[in-house]
Amino acid sequence: CGHPTPAQIERMAELGMIAVNQPNYLHDQGDEFLMRFGDRGHWLQPMRAELDAGVRVALSSDADVTSFNPLETITNAVVRRTMDGRPIGSAQALTVEEAVRAHTIEAAYSIFADDRLGSIEVGKQADLVIVDGDLFGVPPLEIRDLPIWMTIIDGEVVHGPGSER
């Protein structure tokens, strides 16, 4: 959902479509986008406009073309800065809460797996990470650098205290 027009976003909302965005491109290639597209570059991945129109927004990484690290994807959806630190479409930024939801619940919904993935609920797979820090309290640019304290897959600790791996 790289560069939809406002009319296309409205149509997406009418049809109940899901916008899947890869905000890491705003960071990784943002400087070139701004050079080549000028002001139109600020409308790339218009996640705020999509949400405001009622479109469900999911985040993904497009790894291994860009980073697979979810904390980087969340950071880039929130701060919308290029590699050189230039803003790119700041008006289209998500809040941390919206970005986390887009990368968990909405991502699971987008692949028809929200019955078993995307949130912590009885009956769902217990796949989760525990961040060593306050994801919602640190400055957004620091989210990408928060360490992972523990990783649990299908209820088993695979990284961190108590892991056998």
Side-chain angles (χ1 to χ4, degrees):
C1 205
H3 200 268
T5 65
Q8 290 169 328
I9 292 171
E10 290 300 322
R11 184 76 172 132
M12 290 168 61
E14 290 170 12
L15 295 173
M17 294 177 71
I18 304 159
V20 179
N21 293 275
Q22 292 87 25
N24 290 344
Y25 286 119
L26 299 171
H27 177 264
D28 297 350
Q29 282 85 34
D31 292 302
E32 185 170 345
F33 291 153
L34 291 174
M35 180 188 73
R36 294 187 183 278
F37 300 137
D39 285 342
R40 291 180 304 149
H42 295 291
W43 187 254
L44 292 168
Q45 300 190 40
M47 295 174 272
R48 171 63 44 220
E50 293 163 354
L51 279 179
D52 290 350
V55 175
R56 292 181 85 153
V57 172
L59 296 182
S60 67
S61 70
D62 205 17
D64 63 338
V65 177
T66 187
S67 173
F68 62 87
N69 182 337
L71 296 179
E72 286 189 37
T73 305
I74 290 165
T75 298
N76 291 325
V78 173
V79 301
R80 293 186 65 112
R81 298 241 173 222
T82 70
M83 227 181 246
D84 286 344
R86 297 166 53 199
I88 181 165
S90 299
Q92 297 301 322
L94 299 181
T95 66
V96 175
E97 292 81 3
E98 290 166 336
V100 169
R101 180 180 178 87
H103 213 335
T104 56
I105 294 168
E106 300 299 350
Y109 179 84
S110 76
I111 61 168
F112 308 101
D114 54 314
D115 61 327
R116 64 185 190 283
L117 301 173
S119 60
I120 303 169
E121 297 177 53
V122 173
K124 290 191 174 186
Q125 285 180 224
D127 294 351
L128 60 125
V129 297
I130 301 171
V131 177
D132 189 6
D134 184 356
L135 183 70
F136 299 99
V138 300
L141 275 173
E142 293 179 18
I143 292 171
R144 69 172 28 109
D145 298 321
L146 289 171
I148 302 301
W149 182 70
M150 181 182 288
T151 304
I152 302 170
I153 298 180
D154 204 22
E156 178 186 342
V157 176
V158 297
H159 165 76
S163 69
E164 296 179 20
R165 294 185 189 184

